[in-house]
Amino acid sequence: MKKLLVANRGEIAIRVMRTAKKMGIKTVAVFSEADRNSPHVQHADQAVCIGPAPSNESYLRGDKIIEVSKELNVDAIHPGYGFLSENADFAELCEANNILFIGPRSKAIRVMGSKLAAKETVKGYNIPMVPGTDEAITDIPEAKKIAKGIGFPILIKASAGGGGKGMRIVENEAEFESQMDRAISEAKNAFGDGSVFIEKYVASPRHIEIQIMADMHGNVIHLFERECSVQRRHQKVVEEAPSAVLTPELRNQMGQAAINVARSCDYIGAGTVEFLLDENLNFYFLEMNTRLQVEHPVSEWIAGVDLVELQIKVARGEHLNIIQEDLKINGHALELRVYAEDPMNDFLPSVGNLEVYKLPEGENIRVDNGFEQGMDIPIYYDPMISKLITYGKTREEAIEVMIKAIDNYHIKGVETTLPFGRFVFEHEAFRSGNFDTHFVKKHFSHSLLEDQEMLEAEIAAKIALKHFLMEQKLLKVPN
Ligand code: MV4
């Protein structure tokens, strides 16, 4: 592999290029008209404009990206996350044009893109699943009987959905038909596929996902878990590895289940198998994400691997050079997603100019960043500015490093999720590990953040006053 095109933008494009460079592979950036001056363009050996700002006219134009790849003699394409990363048609287009797609084969992407197809595929692989149906519901009275058998509340899910889209809770028998009708018509509208199924509703789950890596020769390893229970409206905000609650036995069981999911679809490359974990530490397979995930750095830190390097190596046919028994968790890593969103105003996007933009630096701090001081946050794309990742020998240490790093991250011009992150990392529920996917709903309100900021401002004012009085010799300097 001599030349790699990165079909993405922002921090992830830069992160992929960093490893390509380390491996002596030339890089090609693609960019939209809005990203002409973006850092990811500067990081590449070559860069090509692929269209106007809107994603569907640029970063989602698979045909255009293939055309550029051929013109520039590109050997491989890394799709990053989002955009074309889980687009089976694009992976197929790469396959057809003899360009290596850094990811699984199109067939695995397609199967895992459908929840029902995924359930069907993993059958016989000994994967625990939430009680429910595993075929599209066609007969509503029959489905209601099954729901009664499972017991309410139940959850209706769209087969084509993902990340929480197309889900509906049904509290009782009386509302079953109406909720079912709504779910089916919503799924048709949103995904062009009205297939839905039902599951028992797990009321207070934790979100645990297992990172896996597979080569073309039948070797599959897992790189432990990430916990991503701190989310709002299905958008992850804080992730960590390892989880505060898994025992080594449970970790091993979930790791084996994840490996089996990967085997069931002849998986190649980096993938993530998502599970729900209930209060009694029972785990259930949810879905598989067939891409490198946003939160991959926390796994890299505790497992001591470069996931992009492994992706590239297995894509070009190399054997995995690590076996499961070699892997060991080392310390604890946390990630805060820094979004240009206003936590005081229902997390509405806060677009504008980064008038001040200074990153925290130091040992045990990693910032995967896509911006520079003076840049505007474009309105066309996801408003994530960067990922702040910290490490410690223990979870407590990683939290302390994180809080200091948040304090040393200086952003003016837009509102960000940094203060919200501080709120999470200082919260007793997070620190004790006693939380689930309802953390934000249960514990956060903008007024609590206001109170916290007021308290800090008061302390700062008192310190300033004391200094002033000492300077004016109105207060004795302590000795
Ligand atoms: C569930 C569930 C409870 N019971 N399934 C949300 C995203 C999608 N991947 C699956 N999701 C859920 N599925 C059953 N049977 C609760 C959720 C869920 C959730 C899962 C992970 C992380 C955050 C979540 C927030 C709300 C609901």
Side-chain angles (χ1 to χ4, degrees):
M1 192 187 299
K2 293 199 183 67
K3 206 190 258 191
L4 174 71
L5 182 146
V6 182
N8 216 299
R9 63 183 300 282
E11 66 85 18
I12 193 61
I14 295 168
R15 192 267 163 268
V16 170
M17 289 176 202
R18 172 166 68 77
T19 290
K21 231 165 264 180
K22 179 178 90 178
M23 298 172 78
I25 300 167
K26 291 266 180 273
T27 56
V28 179
V30 292
F31 60 95
S32 72
E33 283 164 16
D35 281 340
R36 201 167 284 284
N37 299 313
S38 292
H40 85 273
V41 176
Q42 310 301 317
H43 274 79
D45 296 302
Q46 286 177 292
V48 185
C49 182
I50 49 166
S55 309
N56 57 3
E57 295 178 54
S58 50
Y59 297 106
L60 289 171
R61 283 287 302 275
D63 55 338
K64 182 89 193 169
I65 290 168
I66 296 281
E67 195 185 299
V68 167
S69 300
K70 288 176 138 179
E71 269 165 30
L72 299 186
N73 283 314
V74 162
D75 307 298
I77 297 178
H78 196 301
Y81 53 72
F83 297 127
L84 296 166
S85 60
E86 292 179 284
N87 184 317
D89 292 338
F90 178 68
E92 212 165 82
L93 202 59
C94 292
E95 286 160 17
N97 283 279
N98 262 322
I99 300 165
L100 203 54
F101 176 80
I102 312 259
R105 281 187 286 254
S106 55
K107 213 175 137 200
I109 301 177
R110 196 159 274 127
V111 164
M112 290 301 160
S114 155
K115 298 227 180 89
L116 284 170
K119 282 193 180 209
E120 186 60 38
T121 304
V122 306
K123 253 191 207 167
Y125 282 80
N126 193 25
I127 315 292
M129 288 200 266
V130 188
T133 59
D134 50 14
E135 266 172 72
I137 286 163
T138 49
D139 182 338
I140 293 181
E142 175 61 26
K144 188 171 175 175
K145 271 187 215 151
I146 297 171
K148 276 158 75 176
I150 295 169
F152 289 93
I154 60 127
L155 196 58
I156 309 174
K157 292 185 176 183
S159 178
K165 271 180 280 175
M167 294 197 335
R168 227 157 229 294
I169 301 173
V170 188
E171 298 287 353
N172 54 55
E173 204 183 322
E175 57 181 58
F176 186 81
E177 283 89 353
S178 64
Q179 292 287 44
M180 188 58 84
D181 286 343
R182 274 200 215 153
I184 293 171
S185 89
E186 268 177 20
K188 267 189 201 139
N189 270 324
F191 314 112
D193 173 5
S195 310
V196 301
F197 58 97
I198 59 177
E199 276 181 1
K200 178 164 187 58
Y201 178 62
V202 182
S204 304
R206 300 174 75 116
H207 173 123
I208 310 277
E209 55 186 36
I210 306 280
Q211 176 70 52
I212 68 101
M213 183 64 72
D215 69 17
M216 289 176 189
H217 313 284
N219 303 301
V220 190
I221 56 172
H222 75 82
L223 298 115
F224 314 109
E225 80 280 7
R226 294 184 287 262
E227 163 135 28
C228 319
S229 295
V230 181
Q231 319 198 345
R232 59 171 297 282
R233 303 202 185 139
H234 303 291
Q235 178 172 273
K236 296 169 186 166
V237 197
V238 168
E239 301 103 342
E240 65 181 317
S243 161
V245 293
L246 290 207
T247 61
E249 295 72 36
L250 188 53
R251 174 171 298 122
N252 186 34
Q253 283 171 25
M254 293 180 78
Q256 283 312 312
I259 286 173
N260 287 344
V261 170
R263 289 200 188 286
S264 77
C265 63
D266 298 320
Y267 202 83
I268 300 169
T272 297
V273 182
E274 286 187 15
F275 295 97
L276 289 181
L277 187 71
D278 73 14
E279 300 111 316
N280 302 319
L281 301 183
N282 299 304
F283 66 91
Y284 309 98
F285 169 62
L286 270 187
E287 53 193 88
M288 181 171 194
N289 301 319
T290 59
R291 61 171 189 277
L292 181 72
Q293 300 218 152
V294 175
E295 59 272 25
H296 75 276
V298 292
S299 300
E300 295 189 317
W301 218 329
I302 64 143
V305 300
D306 178 335
L307 285 169
V308 174
E309 182 179 346
L310 292 178
Q311 279 189 300
I312 291 173
K313 285 182 168 172
V314 301
R316 62 189 185 194
E318 291 178 35
H319 285 78
L320 275 176
N321 58 355
I322 318 165
I323 58 167
Q324 194 66 52
E325 290 69 34
D326 292 342
L327 287 163
K328 182 177 148 295
I329 296 180
N330 204 334
H332 201 100
L334 300 170
E335 175 176 282
L336 170 63
R337 297 191 189 186
V338 183
Y339 286 100
E341 290 177 349
D342 186 359
M344 301 294 251
N345 195 4
D346 205 26
F347 293 86
L348 285 180
S350 172
V351 289
N353 184 269
L354 291 171
E355 288 155 24
V356 174
Y357 190 66
K358 292 202 171 68
L359 302 180
E361 285 171 17
E363 209 189 338
N364 294 338
I365 298 174
R366 164 176 168 181
V367 189
D368 281 16
N369 172 43
F371 284 85
E372 280 164 12
Q373 186 158 290
M375 279 177 68
D376 289 323
I377 311 273
I379 55 165
Y380 300 98
Y381 317 109
D382 183 272
M384 197 176 79
I385 304 172
S386 76
K387 304 182 307 209
L388 176 54
I389 306 127
T390 64
Y391 176 83
K393 281 201 282 297
T394 62
R395 189 169 185 267
E396 292 69 30
E397 258 181 61
I399 292 174
E400 288 322 304
V401 178
M402 178 60 85
I403 290 171
K404 287 209 183 80
I406 291 172
D407 286 343
N408 291 323
Y409 203 147
H410 300 291
I411 305 182
K412 285 207 173 78
V414 299
E415 299 302 324
T416 75
T417 49
L418 281 172
F420 172 76
R422 189 178 222 294
F423 172 88
V424 174
F425 295 114
E426 286 180 346
H427 200 283
E428 189 279 325
F430 183 81
R431 295 177 87 106
S432 67
N434 179 21
F435 61 96
D436 58 38
T437 52
H438 303 301
F439 177 90
V440 179
K441 199 169 42 185
K442 225 187 270 175
H443 299 297
F444 179 74
S445 76
H446 68 88
S447 59
L448 286 172
L449 201 58
E450 225 156 63
D451 294 351
Q452 184 181 303
E453 284 180 357
M454 199 67 90
L455 204 68
E456 279 160 22
E458 243 174 66
I459 293 167
K462 279 179 189 159
I463 293 169
L465 179 62
K466 189 173 152 205
H467 277 275
F468 173 77
L469 294 174
M470 287 190 315
E471 244 171 49
Q472 301 292 313
K473 310 232 186 308
L474 296 168
L475 189 72
K476 196 170 170 294
V477 179
N479 44 29

